[in-house]
PDB file of all heavy atoms in Angstrom:
ATOM      1  N   ARG B 643      -3.856   0.911  11.867  1.00  0.00           N
ATOM      2  CA  ARG B 643      -3.522  -0.529  11.425  1.00  0.00           C
ATOM      3  C   ARG B 643      -4.680  -1.371  12.166  1.00  0.00           C
ATOM      4  O   ARG B 643      -5.249  -2.326  11.525  1.00  0.00           O
ATOM      5  CB  ARG B 643      -2.214  -0.922  11.795  1.00  0.00           C
ATOM      6  CG  ARG B 643      -1.149  -0.384  10.837  1.00  0.00           C
ATOM      7  CD  ARG B 643       0.143  -1.060  11.036  1.00  0.00           C
ATOM      8  NE  ARG B 643       0.731  -0.514  12.398  1.00  0.00           N
ATOM      9  CZ  ARG B 643       1.677   0.420  12.454  1.00  0.00           C
ATOM     10  NH1 ARG B 643       2.223   0.932  11.301  1.00  0.00           N
ATOM     11  NH2 ARG B 643       2.074   0.912  13.594  1.00  0.00           N
ATOM     12  N   PHE B 644      -4.810  -1.045  13.471  1.00  0.00           N
ATOM     13  CA  PHE B 644      -5.764  -1.945  14.225  1.00  0.00           C
ATOM     14  C   PHE B 644      -7.155  -1.708  13.723  1.00  0.00           C
ATOM     15  O   PHE B 644      -7.872  -2.734  13.711  1.00  0.00           O
ATOM     16  CB  PHE B 644      -5.675  -1.614  15.759  1.00  0.00           C
ATOM     17  CG  PHE B 644      -6.320  -2.585  16.681  1.00  0.00           C
ATOM     18  CD1 PHE B 644      -5.643  -3.898  16.824  1.00  0.00           C
ATOM     19  CD2 PHE B 644      -7.579  -2.446  17.267  1.00  0.00           C
ATOM     20  CE1 PHE B 644      -6.185  -4.767  17.554  1.00  0.00           C
ATOM     21  CE2 PHE B 644      -8.070  -3.341  18.112  1.00  0.00           C
ATOM     22  CZ  PHE B 644      -7.551  -4.600  18.250  1.00  0.00           C
ATOM     23  N   GLY B 645      -7.529  -0.497  13.318  1.00  0.00           N
ATOM     24  CA  GLY B 645      -8.740  -0.333  12.716  1.00  0.00           C
ATOM     25  C   GLY B 645      -9.040  -1.245  11.501  1.00  0.00           C
ATOM     26  O   GLY B 645     -10.091  -1.748  11.247  1.00  0.00           O
ATOM     27  N   ARG B 646      -7.942  -1.199  10.579  1.00  0.00           N
ATOM     28  CA  ARG B 646      -8.083  -2.149   9.513  1.00  0.00           C
ATOM     29  C   ARG B 646      -8.214  -3.693   9.799  1.00  0.00           C
ATOM     30  O   ARG B 646      -8.896  -4.413   9.134  1.00  0.00           O
ATOM     31  CB  ARG B 646      -6.909  -1.876   8.571  1.00  0.00           C
ATOM     32  CG  ARG B 646      -6.834  -0.422   7.962  1.00  0.00           C
ATOM     33  CD  ARG B 646      -5.954  -0.269   6.796  1.00  0.00           C
ATOM     34  NE  ARG B 646      -4.599  -0.233   7.233  1.00  0.00           N
ATOM     35  CZ  ARG B 646      -3.897   0.831   7.696  1.00  0.00           C
ATOM     36  NH1 ARG B 646      -4.547   1.994   7.815  1.00  0.00           N
ATOM     37  NH2 ARG B 646      -2.609   0.671   7.997  1.00  0.00           N
ATOM     38  N   ILE B 647      -7.577  -4.009  10.851  1.00  0.00           N
ATOM     39  CA  ILE B 647      -7.762  -5.495  11.378  1.00  0.00           C
ATOM     40  C   ILE B 647      -9.176  -5.566  11.869  1.00  0.00           C
ATOM     41  O   ILE B 647      -9.813  -6.595  11.677  1.00  0.00           O
ATOM     42  CB  ILE B 647      -6.774  -5.648  12.457  1.00  0.00           C
ATOM     43  CG1 ILE B 647      -5.250  -5.740  11.955  1.00  0.00           C
ATOM     44  CG2 ILE B 647      -7.058  -7.031  13.226  1.00  0.00           C
ATOM     45  CD1 ILE B 647      -4.263  -5.870  12.963  1.00  0.00           C
ATOM     46  N   LEU B 648      -9.677  -4.554  12.591  1.00  0.00           N
ATOM     47  CA  LEU B 648     -11.014  -4.706  13.065  1.00  0.00           C
ATOM     48  C   LEU B 648     -12.100  -4.713  11.936  1.00  0.00           C
ATOM     49  O   LEU B 648     -13.109  -5.383  12.047  1.00  0.00           O
ATOM     50  CB  LEU B 648     -11.485  -3.490  13.884  1.00  0.00           C
ATOM     51  CG  LEU B 648     -10.777  -3.450  15.359  1.00  0.00           C
ATOM     52  CD1 LEU B 648     -11.175  -2.080  16.009  1.00  0.00           C
ATOM     53  CD2 LEU B 648     -11.127  -4.543  16.212  1.00  0.00           C
ATOM     54  N   ALA B 649     -11.710  -4.176  10.831  1.00  0.00           N
ATOM     55  CA  ALA B 649     -12.644  -4.137   9.621  1.00  0.00           C
ATOM     56  C   ALA B 649     -12.760  -5.536   9.028  1.00  0.00           C
ATOM     57  O   ALA B 649     -13.536  -5.712   8.199  1.00  0.00           O
ATOM     58  CB  ALA B 649     -12.161  -3.105   8.649  1.00  0.00           C
ATOM     59  N   GLY B 650     -11.917  -6.398   9.528  1.00  0.00           N
ATOM     60  CA  GLY B 650     -11.970  -7.795   9.098  1.00  0.00           C
ATOM     61  C   GLY B 650     -10.758  -8.171   8.141  1.00  0.00           C
ATOM     62  O   GLY B 650     -10.827  -7.564   7.059  1.00  0.00           O
ATOM     63  N   VAL B 651      -9.940  -8.987   8.462  1.00  0.00           N
ATOM     64  CA  VAL B 651      -8.937  -9.508   7.602  1.00  0.00           C
ATOM     65  C   VAL B 651      -8.759 -11.089   7.609  1.00  0.00           C
ATOM     66  O   VAL B 651      -9.125 -11.587   8.626  1.00  0.00           O
ATOM     67  CB  VAL B 651      -7.411  -8.906   7.930  1.00  0.00           C
ATOM     68  CG1 VAL B 651      -7.343  -7.499   7.497  1.00  0.00           C
ATOM     69  CG2 VAL B 651      -7.268  -9.081   9.500  1.00  0.00           C
ATOM     70  N   ARG B 652      -8.457 -11.607   6.506  1.00  0.00           N
ATOM     71  CA  ARG B 652      -8.085 -13.008   6.449  1.00  0.00           C
ATOM     72  C   ARG B 652      -9.238 -13.846   7.186  1.00  0.00           C
ATOM     73  O   ARG B 652      -8.985 -14.642   8.083  1.00  0.00           O
ATOM     74  CB  ARG B 652      -6.831 -13.355   7.083  1.00  0.00           C
ATOM     75  CG  ARG B 652      -5.679 -12.827   6.277  1.00  0.00           C
ATOM     76  CD  ARG B 652      -4.945 -14.004   5.605  1.00  0.00           C
ATOM     77  NE  ARG B 652      -3.798 -13.429   4.886  1.00  0.00           N
ATOM     78  CZ  ARG B 652      -2.598 -14.196   5.040  1.00  0.00           C
ATOM     79  NH1 ARG B 652      -2.565 -15.276   5.675  1.00  0.00           N
ATOM     80  NH2 ARG B 652      -1.641 -13.586   4.272  1.00  0.00           N
ATOM     81  N   GLY B 653     -10.396 -13.539   6.887  1.00  0.00           N
ATOM     82  CA  GLY B 653     -11.565 -14.477   7.402  1.00  0.00           C
ATOM     83  C   GLY B 653     -11.944 -14.079   8.740  1.00  0.00           C
ATOM     84  O   GLY B 653     -12.775 -14.744   9.426  1.00  0.00           O
ATOM     85  N   ARG B 654     -11.264 -13.117   9.524  1.00  0.00           N
ATOM     86  CA  ARG B 654     -11.738 -12.685  10.779  1.00  0.00           C
ATOM     87  C   ARG B 654     -13.027 -12.017  10.564  1.00  0.00           C
ATOM     88  O   ARG B 654     -13.099 -11.170   9.680  1.00  0.00           O
ATOM     89  CB  ARG B 654     -10.729 -11.803  11.450  1.00  0.00           C
ATOM     90  CG  ARG B 654      -9.410 -12.398  12.001  1.00  0.00           C
ATOM     91  CD  ARG B 654      -8.417 -11.471  12.263  1.00  0.00           C
ATOM     92  NE  ARG B 654      -8.848 -10.647  13.399  1.00  0.00           N
ATOM     93  CZ  ARG B 654      -8.325 -10.706  14.585  1.00  0.00           C
ATOM     94  NH1 ARG B 654      -7.554 -11.600  15.006  1.00  0.00           N
ATOM     95  NH2 ARG B 654      -8.847  -9.871  15.527  1.00  0.00           N
ATOM     96  N   PRO B 655     -14.044 -12.178  11.515  1.00  0.00           N
ATOM     97  CA  PRO B 655     -15.250 -11.397  11.397  1.00  0.00           C
ATOM     98  C   PRO B 655     -15.021  -9.952  11.640  1.00  0.00           C
ATOM     99  O   PRO B 655     -14.258  -9.588  12.562  1.00  0.00           O
ATOM    100  CB  PRO B 655     -16.185 -12.110  12.498  1.00  0.00           C
ATOM    101  CG  PRO B 655     -15.216 -12.654  13.526  1.00  0.00           C
ATOM    102  CD  PRO B 655     -14.021 -13.048  12.763  1.00  0.00           C
ATOM    103  N   PRO B 656     -15.658  -9.017  10.879  1.00  0.00           N
ATOM    104  CA  PRO B 656     -15.409  -7.592  11.181  1.00  0.00           C
ATOM    105  C   PRO B 656     -16.051  -7.193  12.515  1.00  0.00           C
ATOM    106  O   PRO B 656     -17.197  -7.791  12.887  1.00  0.00           O
ATOM    107  CB  PRO B 656     -16.037  -6.995   9.970  1.00  0.00           C
ATOM    108  CG  PRO B 656     -16.987  -7.949   9.351  1.00  0.00           C
ATOM    109  CD  PRO B 656     -16.563  -9.352   9.751  1.00  0.00           C
ATOM    110  N   ALA B 657     -15.532  -6.343  13.218  1.00  0.00           N
ATOM    111  CA  ALA B 657     -15.995  -5.808  14.405  1.00  0.00           C
ATOM    112  C   ALA B 657     -17.079  -4.712  14.084  1.00  0.00           C
ATOM    113  O   ALA B 657     -17.266  -4.241  12.950  1.00  0.00           O
ATOM    114  CB  ALA B 657     -14.869  -5.207  15.167  1.00  0.00           C
ATOM    115  N   ASP B 658     -17.836  -4.395  15.068  1.00  0.00           N
ATOM    116  CA  ASP B 658     -18.897  -3.370  14.907  1.00  0.00           C
ATOM    117  C   ASP B 658     -18.351  -1.952  14.775  1.00  0.00           C
ATOM    118  O   ASP B 658     -18.485  -1.158  15.727  1.00  0.00           O
ATOM    119  CB  ASP B 658     -19.942  -3.572  15.993  1.00  0.00           C
ATOM    120  CG  ASP B 658     -21.269  -2.762  15.721  1.00  0.00           C
ATOM    121  OD1 ASP B 658     -21.244  -1.881  14.820  1.00  0.00           O
ATOM    122  OD2 ASP B 658     -22.263  -3.103  16.392  1.00  0.00           O
ATOM    123  N   LEU B 659     -17.918  -1.609  13.566  1.00  0.00           N
ATOM    124  CA  LEU B 659     -17.363  -0.328  13.319  1.00  0.00           C
ATOM    125  C   LEU B 659     -18.360   0.762  13.406  1.00  0.00           C
ATOM    126  O   LEU B 659     -18.111   1.921  13.600  1.00  0.00           O
ATOM    127  CB  LEU B 659     -16.582  -0.272  12.028  1.00  0.00           C
ATOM    128  CG  LEU B 659     -15.355  -1.204  11.762  1.00  0.00           C
ATOM    129  CD1 LEU B 659     -14.543  -0.673  10.567  1.00  0.00           C
ATOM    130  CD2 LEU B 659     -14.454  -1.085  12.966  1.00  0.00           C
ATOM    131  N   GLU B 660     -19.592   0.287  13.023  1.00  0.00           N
ATOM    132  CA  GLU B 660     -20.719   1.228  13.020  1.00  0.00           C
ATOM    133  C   GLU B 660     -20.859   1.860  14.498  1.00  0.00           C
ATOM    134  O   GLU B 660     -20.963   3.084  14.653  1.00  0.00           O
ATOM    135  CB  GLU B 660     -22.052   0.503  12.661  1.00  0.00           C
ATOM    136  CG  GLU B 660     -23.145   1.379  12.235  1.00  0.00           C
ATOM    137  CD  GLU B 660     -22.796   2.255  11.183  1.00  0.00           C
ATOM    138  OE1 GLU B 660     -22.142   2.045  10.203  1.00  0.00           O
ATOM    139  OE2 GLU B 660     -23.327   3.524  11.300  1.00  0.00           O
ATOM    140  N   ALA B 661     -20.943   0.931  15.417  1.00  0.00           N
ATOM    141  CA  ALA B 661     -21.096   1.446  16.934  1.00  0.00           C
ATOM    142  C   ALA B 661     -19.985   2.215  17.272  1.00  0.00           C
ATOM    143  O   ALA B 661     -20.149   3.264  17.873  1.00  0.00           O
ATOM    144  CB  ALA B 661     -21.349   0.109  17.664  1.00  0.00           C
ATOM    145  N   LEU B 662     -18.757   1.811  16.899  1.00  0.00           N
ATOM    146  CA  LEU B 662     -17.547   2.645  17.233  1.00  0.00           C
ATOM    147  C   LEU B 662     -17.645   4.073  16.605  1.00  0.00           C
ATOM    148  O   LEU B 662     -17.281   5.050  17.342  1.00  0.00           O
ATOM    149  CB  LEU B 662     -16.195   1.908  16.600  1.00  0.00           C
ATOM    150  CG  LEU B 662     -15.564   1.116  17.528  1.00  0.00           C
ATOM    151  CD1 LEU B 662     -14.209   0.451  16.919  1.00  0.00           C
ATOM    152  CD2 LEU B 662     -15.155   1.683  18.846  1.00  0.00           C
ATOM    153  N   SER B 663     -18.026   4.157  15.360  1.00  0.00           N
ATOM    154  CA  SER B 663     -18.092   5.406  14.716  1.00  0.00           C
ATOM    155  C   SER B 663     -19.067   6.214  15.345  1.00  0.00           C
ATOM    156  O   SER B 663     -18.830   7.494  15.550  1.00  0.00           O
ATOM    157  CB  SER B 663     -18.489   5.253  13.164  1.00  0.00           C
ATOM    158  OG  SER B 663     -17.536   4.237  12.580  1.00  0.00           O
ATOM    159  N   ARG B 664     -20.267   5.796  15.657  1.00  0.00           N
ATOM    160  CA  ARG B 664     -21.323   6.437  16.484  1.00  0.00           C
ATOM    161  C   ARG B 664     -20.774   7.034  17.743  1.00  0.00           C
ATOM    162  O   ARG B 664     -20.947   8.192  18.129  1.00  0.00           O
ATOM    163  CB  ARG B 664     -22.590   5.667  16.607  1.00  0.00           C
ATOM    164  CG  ARG B 664     -23.434   5.473  15.421  1.00  0.00           C
ATOM    165  CD  ARG B 664     -24.860   5.117  15.753  1.00  0.00           C
ATOM    166  NE  ARG B 664     -24.793   3.967  16.712  1.00  0.00           N
ATOM    167  CZ  ARG B 664     -24.905   2.707  16.338  1.00  0.00           C
ATOM    168  NH1 ARG B 664     -24.972   2.391  15.050  1.00  0.00           N
ATOM    169  NH2 ARG B 664     -24.857   1.826  17.277  1.00  0.00           N
ATOM    170  N   ALA B 665     -20.037   6.227  18.373  1.00  0.00           N
ATOM    171  CA  ALA B 665     -19.485   6.691  19.722  1.00  0.00           C
ATOM    172  C   ALA B 665     -18.505   7.788  19.541  1.00  0.00           C
ATOM    173  O   ALA B 665     -18.518   8.748  20.336  1.00  0.00           O
ATOM    174  CB  ALA B 665     -18.727   5.423  20.409  1.00  0.00           C
ATOM    175  N   LEU B 666     -17.640   7.646  18.541  1.00  0.00           N
ATOM    176  CA  LEU B 666     -16.677   8.766  18.368  1.00  0.00           C
ATOM    177  C   LEU B 666     -17.379  10.042  17.907  1.00  0.00           C
ATOM    178  O   LEU B 666     -17.099  11.074  18.440  1.00  0.00           O
ATOM    179  CB  LEU B 666     -15.691   8.389  17.178  1.00  0.00           C
ATOM    180  CG  LEU B 666     -14.625   7.511  17.697  1.00  0.00           C
ATOM    181  CD1 LEU B 666     -13.788   6.812  16.467  1.00  0.00           C
ATOM    182  CD2 LEU B 666     -13.586   8.190  18.471  1.00  0.00           C
ATOM    183  N   ALA B 667     -18.440   9.973  17.049  1.00  0.00           N
ATOM    184  CA  ALA B 667     -19.169  11.104  16.653  1.00  0.00           C
ATOM    185  C   ALA B 667     -19.859  11.760  17.950  1.00  0.00           C
ATOM    186  O   ALA B 667     -19.841  13.044  18.200  1.00  0.00           O
ATOM    187  CB  ALA B 667     -20.261  10.844  15.639  1.00  0.00           C
ATOM    188  N   ALA B 668     -20.591  10.906  18.735  1.00  0.00           N
ATOM    189  CA  ALA B 668     -21.064  11.356  19.921  1.00  0.00           C
ATOM    190  C   ALA B 668     -20.068  12.145  20.871  1.00  0.00           C
ATOM    191  O   ALA B 668     -20.357  13.320  21.373  1.00  0.00           O
ATOM    192  CB  ALA B 668     -21.773  10.356  20.766  1.00  0.00           C
ATOM    193  N   LEU B 669     -18.963  11.495  21.107  1.00  0.00           N
ATOM    194  CA  LEU B 669     -17.944  12.131  21.919  1.00  0.00           C
ATOM    195  C   LEU B 669     -17.400  13.499  21.344  1.00  0.00           C
ATOM    196  O   LEU B 669     -17.197  14.406  22.010  1.00  0.00           O
ATOM    197  CB  LEU B 669     -16.715  11.131  21.903  1.00  0.00           C
ATOM    198  CG  LEU B 669     -15.785  11.052  22.991  1.00  0.00           C
ATOM    199  CD1 LEU B 669     -16.513  11.045  24.320  1.00  0.00           C
ATOM    200  CD2 LEU B 669     -14.849   9.867  22.926  1.00  0.00           C
ATOM    201  N   SER B 670     -17.462  13.609  19.973  1.00  0.00           N
ATOM    202  CA  SER B 670     -17.043  14.770  19.369  1.00  0.00           C
ATOM    203  C   SER B 670     -17.929  15.947  19.588  1.00  0.00           C
ATOM    204  O   SER B 670     -17.544  17.134  19.921  1.00  0.00           O
ATOM    205  CB  SER B 670     -16.683  14.631  17.805  1.00  0.00           C
ATOM    206  OG  SER B 670     -17.994  14.707  17.087  1.00  0.00           O
TER     207      SER B 670
END
Side-chain angles (χ1 to χ4, degrees):
Chain B
R643 282 186 291 256
F644 195 72
R646 292 193 290 275
I647 293 173
L648 287 179
V651 282
R652 290 252 186 139
R654 286 167 63 103
D658 193 343
L659 296 196
E660 195 54 41
L662 264 184
S663 304
R664 282 198 312 268
L666 280 164
L669 209 49
S670 80

